[in-house]
Amino acid sequence: HAVLQRDRPIEIWGRAQPNEQVTVALDSYTRKTQADAAGAWAVTLPALRSGGKHTLTARTATRAQKVKDLLIGDVWLCSGQSNMEWPVSSAHNSTEAIATANDAMIRHFGVPHAFSEQPAEDVAGGSWAAADPAHVGSFTAVGYFFAREVRKSVNVPIALLHTSWGGSNIE
C-alpha cells in the first residue's frame, strides 16, 4: 500500500549479491543495473503523475521482490513528539472517525521506535496501511485529519510517513 512522490524521479535501491545483475520494473518502465562489490544497487525511474495502482518489481537471476498496490501521489512526513504521536483512536470523536474511514488513497507508514548511535540503512520494521476502519485508529491523528482535509481539494493519493516519538529529543 505504499505511495511514492509524484512528479519527481523515483529512486529505487536495494541489496543483492555482490556484482549481481538487477532489473527493476515499474509498469512499463524498466531499468537494469549491477550491484557493487558490497551488493548495493540503485536505479532512477522517470517521474510519474499521480495515480495507481502500480506494481514495482526488482529481480535478479535467483529471486524477485514485488510491491503491489503502489500509488503515486504526495508524501508527507509526520514527525515530532507526543502531539504528532497521538493516535486517531484517542482523538475527539474517534469512534465516528474510525467508523467512517474509507479512503484507500490515504496511506500510512508507522516507523517503529528504534534507537541507534550510528546512522541505519533500514528502518526497524513497519508496514503500510490504507485508511479504513481496521487500521486508521493507529494512524497519527494530526496526520490523518490533515490528509483527510487535503484530499477534499487535491485529488491525489496521500502518504503519511509517521516518525514521531513522544518525549524524545529532537535529534
Side-chain angles (χ1 to χ4, degrees):
H1 305 301
V3 178
L4 300 177
Q5 181 61 48
R6 67 180 166 137
D7 303 328
R8 300 276 190 261
I10 299 170
E11 305 289 332
I12 307 292
W13 64 92
R15 288 182 290 280
Q17 295 299 315
N19 304 311
E20 191 171 29
Q21 295 294 317
V22 179
T23 302
V24 177
L26 177 59
D27 296 336
S28 63
Y29 300 100
T30 301
R31 298 291 184 269
K32 294 183 179 192
T33 190
Q34 181 175 334
D36 65 17
W41 59 266
V43 298
T44 302
L45 296 165
L48 297 176
R49 293 184 176 261
S50 66
K53 300 179 176 179
H54 301 279
T55 299
L56 174 71
T57 305
R59 182 182 313 279
T60 67
T62 59
R63 61 192 176 125
Q65 294 282 321
K66 187 178 283 193
V67 177
K68 298 177 183 177
D69 190 25
L70 181 68
L71 302 176
I72 307 296
D74 288 341
V75 179
W76 294 90
L77 178 63
C78 303
S79 192
Q81 294 184 318
S82 57
N83 289 344
M84 186 62 76
E85 191 173 35
W86 191 264
V88 171
S89 62
S90 296
H92 180 68
N93 293 330
S94 62
T95 303
E96 178 185 351
I98 292 169
T100 60
N102 190 25
D103 190 345
M105 296 296 128
I106 298 175
R107 310 286 177 91
H108 182 273
F109 184 89
V111 176
H113 295 168
F115 176 81
S116 175
E117 293 185 14
Q118 302 299 320
E121 290 187 22
D122 295 315
V123 295
S127 63
W128 286 93
D132 60 33
H135 298 100
V136 81
S138 64
F139 287 19
T140 164
V142 171
Y144 174 67
F145 293 123
F146 166 79
R148 199 172 69 174
E149 288 303 308
V150 167
R151 290 269 303 137
K152 291 177 182 176
S153 60
V154 180
N155 189 25
V156 300
I158 302 289
L160 302 171
L161 301 180
H162 183 198
T163 65
S164 62
W165 191 343
S168 63
N169 291 329
I170 191 67
E171 59 190 357

